[in-house]
């Protein structure tokens, strides 16, 4: 599992940096190839010579004065199968969430396409601060795995949540990541709101940001699936995901039609109607424009369900306004294996929000309400369900 894998251990500046040495040793004992990098503050807590001696390789500490490489961060990013940030301080979590590539660790992660794990370590007050929690939610929706922290004794003698996971626990978490339960499974995810052109400057669309779909794709890739994301959203691509950008329902249907998969998760808010006629040049006010004639769009989900080689599992999403019970009928009519219904009128949920409150509808019509939670958590729960369906056959 972990044997032969290339793990880049990135150490940032907290007291728990000393545990990174044990983690490096444990990884090497499991036959992983380990290289290390450290930020300047990390070296106040642990000497780079210690990690160099354990890993048998020089430690990257500087982006500019490295005698061996002109571009240490991109070379390290290309080399790694996994980056583990341990410990991850509140400041490094914040920099990562904002994409600030101001030190070797964040610059490398910005350049990496492999999975990333962070193991936060900080005082309880810093851990509980809304800014830290917001930053971690951002990282989770970018596909980063967050391991820990645990409750325990902290620097300064306090006790509470914020202590970095012990190296043995981190090793277990890293091994679980490499176990990749969806390895070999081909996954398609649609995301975002389609735009149906009225003329070259105007369109019909909806409020979908693509956050839900990108979180679903990120989680699939994190679990090892070969993931294609067909998206209308400008959000960045999750790591290790093949991306196809589309604009209209027709574009989405065309893109999806050539992708053979085992699992399709259709989170996109596809317009049901498009303007009958899309004008080639901008309509002028003086031309008068009172009536917009509409025509139905292609049913992307319907086309996937109706294929000769239907994916083994098809998941639909249903955006409802007030009555999620309607989604049970929609699930039956659409012929999906799972339907994820969300009431998009609930404040802080549905469109554009980082969170979602959904009801999972199974094949037998059973409806299971889930609490309001981060979209990354909805995605994780959804992939647990899909994995069960795949195992049942
Ligand atoms: O993108 P976010 O801002 O994160 O918001 C997430 C979300 C609210 C968009 C998402 O959670 C959601 O509910 N997605 C489905 C939106 C929708 O189009 O629902 P619907 O009930 O109209 O469609 C049902 C299903 O049919 C969906 O899987 C949809 O992708 C599919 N469909 C609909 C019409 C069409 N022409 N083709 C389709 O494939």
């Amino acid at each position: 599992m972990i044997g032969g894998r290339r793990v880049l251990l990135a150490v940032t500046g907290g007291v728990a940096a000393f545990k990174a040495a044990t983690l490096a040793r444990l990884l090497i004992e499991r036959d992983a190839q380990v290289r290390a990098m450290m930020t300047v503050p990390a070296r106040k807590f642990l000497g780079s010579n210690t990690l160099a001696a354990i890993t048998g390789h020089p430690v990257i500490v500087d982006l500019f004065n490295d005698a061996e490489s002109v571009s240490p961060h991109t070379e390290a990013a290309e080399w790694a199968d996994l980056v583990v940030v341990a410990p991850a301080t509140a400041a490094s979590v914040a920099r990562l969430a904002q994409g600030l590539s101001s030190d070797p660790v964040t610059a490398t992660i910005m350049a990496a396409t492999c999975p990333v794990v962070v193991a936060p370590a900080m005082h309880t007050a810093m851990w509980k601060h809304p800014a830290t929690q917001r930053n971690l939610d951002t990282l989770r929706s970018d596909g980063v795995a967050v391991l820990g922290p645990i409750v325990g004794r902290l620097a300064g003698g306090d006790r509470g949540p914020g202590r970095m996971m012990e190296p043995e626990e981190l090793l277990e978490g890293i091994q679980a990541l490499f176990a990749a339960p969806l390895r070999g499974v081909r996954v398609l995810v649609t995301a975002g709101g389609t735009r149906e052109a009225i003329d070259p400057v105007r369109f019909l669309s909806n409020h979908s940001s693509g956050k839900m779909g990108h979180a679903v794709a990120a989680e699939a890739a994190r679990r090892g699936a070969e993931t294609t994301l067909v998206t209308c959203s400008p959000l960045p691509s999750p790591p290790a995901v093949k991306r196809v950008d589309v604009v209209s329902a027709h574009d989405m249907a065309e893109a999806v039609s050539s992708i053979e998969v085992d699992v399709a998760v259709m989170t996109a808010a596809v317009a049901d109607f498009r303007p009958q006629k899309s004008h080639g040049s901008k309509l002028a006010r003086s031309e008068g424009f009172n009536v917009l004639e509409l025509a139905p769009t292609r049913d992307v989900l319907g086309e996937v369900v109706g294929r000769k080689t239907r994916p083994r599992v098809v998941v639909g999403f249903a955006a409802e306004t007030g009555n999620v019970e309607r989604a049970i009928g929609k699930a039956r009519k659409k012929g999906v294996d799972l339907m994820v219904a969300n009431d998009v009128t609930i404040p802080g949920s549905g469109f554009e929000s980082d969170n979602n409150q959904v009801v999972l509808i199974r094949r037998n019509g059973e409806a299971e309400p889930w609490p309001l939670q981060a979209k990354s958590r909805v995605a994780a729960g959804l992939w647990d369900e899909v994995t069960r369906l795949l195992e049942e056959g």
Side-chain angles (χ1 to χ4, degrees), residues 2-25:
I2 202 166
R5 300 305 188 109
R6 294 181 295 217
V7 180
L8 180 66
L9 182 56
V11 186
T12 69
V15 181
F18 76 94
K19 293 186 189 173
T22 310
L23 180 59
R25 164 74 62 219

Side-chain angles (χ1 to χ4, degrees), residues 208-210 212 266-268 298 300-301 317 330 342 352 375:
S208 173
S209 62
M212 189 67 248
M266 317 299 273
T267 78
R298 281 169 69 174
V300 187
L301 174 57
F317 269 64
K330 212 182 251 184
N342 41 194
E352 295 173 306
K375 283 179 175 168

Side-chain angles (χ1 to χ4, degrees), residues 42-240:
R43 287 155 61 204
K44 295 198 187 295
F45 296 96
L46 177 73
S48 59
N49 287 342
T50 306
L51 285 177
I54 292 173
T55 61
H57 294 280
V59 175
I60 302 168
V61 292
D62 191 337
L63 289 179
F64 303 105
N65 293 312
D66 189 323
E68 309 218 339
S69 164
V70 285
S71 183
H73 61 304
T74 55
E75 283 175 21
E78 225 168 88
W79 174 84
D81 292 326
L82 177 74
V83 182
V84 180
V85 189
T89 58
S92 59
V93 164
R95 280 198 298 276
L96 264 181
Q98 288 174 40
L100 293 177
S101 52
S102 49
D103 60 70
V105 170
T106 44
T108 302
I109 292 174
M110 295 282 292
T113 53
C114 66
V116 176
V117 172
V118 298
M122 62 198 77
H123 191 271
T124 302
M126 295 169 85
W127 168 250
K128 287 188 173 167
H129 195 284
T132 303
Q133 293 305 316
R134 258 196 322 273
N135 290 333
L136 283 160
D137 279 343
T138 302
L139 290 187
R140 287 191 192 98
S141 39
D142 288 348
V144 172
V146 180
L147 297 183
I150 54 174
V151 176
R153 198 178 159 81
L154 305 164
D158 288 344
R159 220 189 125 72
R163 183 179 168 91
M164 189 173 95
M165 269 187 162
E166 297 307 325
E168 293 75 9
E169 295 170 297
L170 279 177
L171 179 72
E172 257 177 49
I174 293 166
Q175 282 179 317
L177 275 181
F178 278 124
L182 294 177
R183 191 182 302 282
V185 178
R186 297 164 306 165
V187 165
L188 162 72
V189 180
T190 64
T194 63
R195 290 181 173 189
E196 312 300 327
I198 297 170
D199 67 18
V201 296
R202 305 178 179 95
F203 54 81
L204 297 178
S205 191
N206 55 67
H207 295 290
S208 173
S209 62
K211 285 182 183 177
M212 189 67 248
H214 282 234
V216 169
E219 186 62 22
R222 207 174 68 71
R223 294 179 184 214
E226 195 185 299
T227 309
T228 306
L229 173 64
V230 178
T231 182
C232 307
S233 164
L235 288 175
S237 303

Side-chain angles (χ1 to χ4, degrees), residues 324-325 341 357-362 366-373:
V324 288
E325 292 299 307
Q357 186 173 333
V358 306
V359 177
L360 184 78
I361 298 160
R362 299 200 171 83
E366 180 188 298
E368 183 179 294
W370 288 4
L372 178 68
Q373 55 190 335

